[in-house]
Amino acid sequence: MMQPRLKAGIWVRGQIAICQAQSITAMVVHKGNEDAGAVLVKLNHFANGCFVYSRVTTMDGDLGWMQVAGGGDGGRETEMQCDEYCRKQVSFDRDVWVLEIEDHKSAYELDAPIVEF
């Protein structure tokens, strides 16, 4: 059974508020469709890696996140690959949201499990 979902814009603003409460820098890199845009989260842990996650729905109808770019190498090249992935997605779909989180302490947690398909 599908779970009810927050509108994309509300979800993004909520994540920014969570980050601000924890003194984590978070910003909207690209504003997508307020109601139903896809969501990408660029999570930069600096020395501990940079990752891009895409919000997905599992076969069971649950919310999950799939890593779509980046990795544990915290080098500049990895961050550039993440930025390029986000740019390409925005060029394909102007409705996509891109939320960038700069988390030196690795304190931020996604609101659903990371899944693999």
Side-chain angles (χ1 to χ4, degrees), residues 5-6 8 10-11 16 19 26 42 46 48 50 55 57 61 64-65 71 76-77 80 83 86 88 97 101 106 110:
R5 302 271 192 266
L6 284 175
I10 293 170
W11 184 89
I16 290 171
C19 289
K42 177 186 167 196
F46 298 92
N48 295 320
C50 187
R55 189 162 64 171
T57 302
W65 292 94
R76 181 72 188 125
E77 189 171 311
M80 288 170 48
D83 289 340
C86 293
K88 283 182 181 176
W97 286 83
I101 299 171
S106 299
L110 293 165

Side-chain angles (χ1 to χ4, degrees), residues 55-113:
R55 189 162 64 171
V56 296
T57 302
T58 68
M59 300 281 244
D60 297 328
D62 297 326
L63 180 64
W65 292 94
M66 184 171 64
Q67 183 183 329
V68 292
D73 171 19
R76 181 72 188 125
E77 189 171 311
T78 302
E79 184 180 4
M80 288 170 48
Q81 290 169 347
C82 289
D83 289 340
E84 182 59 22
Y85 180 87
C86 293
R87 268 193 298 278
K88 283 182 181 176
Q89 294 307 306
V90 168
S91 74
F92 296 139
D93 179 5
R94 299 295 299 165
D95 289 338
V96 69
W97 286 83
V98 180
L99 174 63
E100 182 169 343
I101 299 171
E102 295 180 347
D103 184 12
H104 290 275
K105 298 177 185 170
S106 299
Y108 176 81
E109 294 181 19
L110 293 165
D111 64 348

Side-chain angles (χ1 to χ4, degrees), residues 18-59:
I18 289 168
C19 289
Q20 287 174 338
Q22 297 179 38
S23 299
I24 298 169
T25 301
M27 66 208 93
V28 174
V29 175
H30 185 266
K31 183 178 181 192
N33 181 290
E34 191 66 32
D35 295 331
V39 177
L40 297 176
V41 173
K42 177 186 167 196
L43 186 51
N44 193 347
H45 291 300
F46 298 92
N48 295 320
C50 187
F51 308 87
V52 177
Y53 296 98
S54 178
R55 189 162 64 171
V56 296
T57 302
T58 68
M59 300 281 244

